[in-house]
Amino acid sequence: MENTFRDPFRSPGRWYRGNLHMHTTASDGLRSPEEAAAWYRAQGYDFVAVTDHRACTPVEGLSSPEFLVLPGIEAHPGQNEVGEPYHVVAAGVTSARRYTRDDPPQAAIDELRAAGGLVWLGHPHWLGSTLGELMALEGYAGIEVYNSTCLRFAKGYSTVHWDDLLARGRLVWGLAVDDTHWAGGDPGRGWVMVKAPELAPQAILSALAAGSFYASQGPEIYDVQVGPEEVYVRCSPVASITCVSVSGSGRYALAEGPDRPLTEATISRRTARVYVRIECTDAAGRTAWSQPYLL
Ligand SMILES: [Zn+2]
Ligand SMILES: [Zn+2]
């Protein structure tokens, strides 16, 4: 299965900000689903997915026309090479069986997708996932390239895993999530900006499935145009704009100083191969990640 890309910067609709991974008192989080939803709404988010461990938490009555609460789950099937179960996360599912170490992770992916879920792999770096393990699984929409709860354990970033998949032609999307359990000051540190025609479950989930979003810790991306020779990027003020590609074939643009941030850049892609993706990083070190563009 290969994902088909809907470029958010070339698609109609509006931007919706959401967090796709977090926990409540229904598993090991410290806030109830009601309190958690209220927090995201007060912070200016448009939607959140409740992804408690091992079971789908009921979310009936938590949505309103202005704020969407998606049901979901973080399932823990199988076991990787370093003895951790996989963390298979899904949004848009209202029920699922309880997965254990005896269940192959591929079964969880297939069944959660069949139940209508958008399925992705949580925090590969924290899990010690190998490239072989990620390549062996199919049907997932993406991986968490940033997870702020995992950053508390010094393993928040999985962009290396992402680039290794992309370099081998595996077109998967990069997500940023906070995965908060409401204990360590990590809520609101990573999210997705989704371009969708409306704030409704199916519109948001199909936009995410099609890659019509970018991931962020703060910076906003306004435009990405991939031409035959150059990539043009427009964004909120940042310290660097990086065009990432296979091996050493990427390039970047740097701001001339803290008082002269970049808000756009045109970067040569002549050496790029297979794909390019954009990272915009501000002076505080916060990054926004575009989805990959196949060349
Ligand atoms: Zn997890
Ligand atoms: Zn989690």
Side-chain angles (χ1 to χ4, degrees):
M1 203 244 13
E2 191 81 313
N3 292 318
T4 305
F5 184 42
R6 187 199 308 168
D7 187 343
F9 306 105
R10 308 268 89 77
S11 303
R14 57 153 284 200
W15 293 102
Y16 297 102
R17 180 185 179 199
N19 177 37
L20 287 165
H21 184 167
M22 66 96 174
H23 299 273
T24 74
T25 47
S27 62
D28 55 352
L30 299 182
R31 292 197 188 188
S32 69
E34 292 78 10
E35 291 167 334
W39 186 88
Y40 285 100
R41 188 174 176 165
Q43 297 297 313
Y45 284 70
D46 299 295
F47 68 94
V48 68
V50 180
T51 55
D52 277 307
H53 297 286
R54 297 181 183 84
C56 297
T57 301
V59 300
E60 284 81 18
L62 296 181
S63 294
S64 66
E66 300 81 34
F67 188 78
L68 180 65
V69 180
L70 294 166
I73 188 172
E74 181 168 21
H76 298 288
Q79 189 170 321
N80 71 8
E81 285 178 14
V82 291
E84 292 289 342
Y86 289 74
H87 291 213
V88 176
V89 197
V93 287
T94 51
S95 72
R97 68 184 176 92
R98 193 177 179 87
Y99 294 95
T100 71
R101 288 182 182 242
D102 296 329
D103 293 301
Q106 189 63 57
I109 293 170
D110 294 345
E111 291 167 12
L112 292 167
R113 282 190 73 201
L118 173 86
V119 181
W120 67 96
L121 301 180
H123 46 76
H125 187 191
W126 183 93
L127 284 176
S129 304
T130 67
L131 178 61
E133 288 165 349
L134 300 178
M135 289 290 288
L137 296 174
E138 295 178 343
Y140 55 97
I143 66 170
E144 291 174 0
V145 298
Y146 175 69
N147 177 309
S148 61
T149 285
C150 294
L151 189 61
R152 289 168 52 212
F153 307 103
K155 292 191 174 174
Y157 296 91
S158 298
T159 45
V160 171
H161 301 74
W162 195 21
D163 284 316
D164 283 348
L165 286 166
L166 295 171
R168 288 157 181 81
R170 284 295 296 271
L171 185 60
V172 297
W173 315 132
L175 287 74
V177 300
D178 65 35
D179 189 10
T180 193
H181 294 60
W182 308 99
D186 48 15
R189 298 278 178 86
W191 57 87
V192 290
M193 293 293 293
V194 183
K195 187 81 163 291
E198 59 173 337
L199 185 66
Q202 215 40 59
I204 295 293
L205 291 169
S206 38
L208 285 160
S212 186
F213 68 101
Y214 65 89
S216 186
Q217 298 170 308
E220 294 179 274
I221 305 177
Y222 304 132
D223 195 15
V224 176
Q225 295 178 33
V226 179
E229 301 270 312
E230 294 168 327
V231 179
Y232 171 77
V233 182
R234 196 160 55 81
C235 58
S236 58
V238 294
S240 67
I241 299 176
T242 307
C243 178
V244 184
S245 186
V246 173
S247 306
S249 61
R251 295 287 182 270
Y252 65 91
L254 284 180
E256 287 177 18
D259 53 344
R260 299 193 61 190
L262 288 175
T263 54
E264 62 177 354
T266 301
I267 302 171
S268 170
R269 54 149 278 199
R270 245 167 284 166
T271 57
R273 293 186 288 122
V274 186
Y275 73 97
V276 292
R277 62 174 187 83
I278 300 302
E279 292 188 3
C280 302
T281 302
D282 70 13
R286 301 179 306 174
T287 294
W289 297 265
S290 82
Q291 299 310 324
Y293 293 77
L294 291 184
L295 301 180

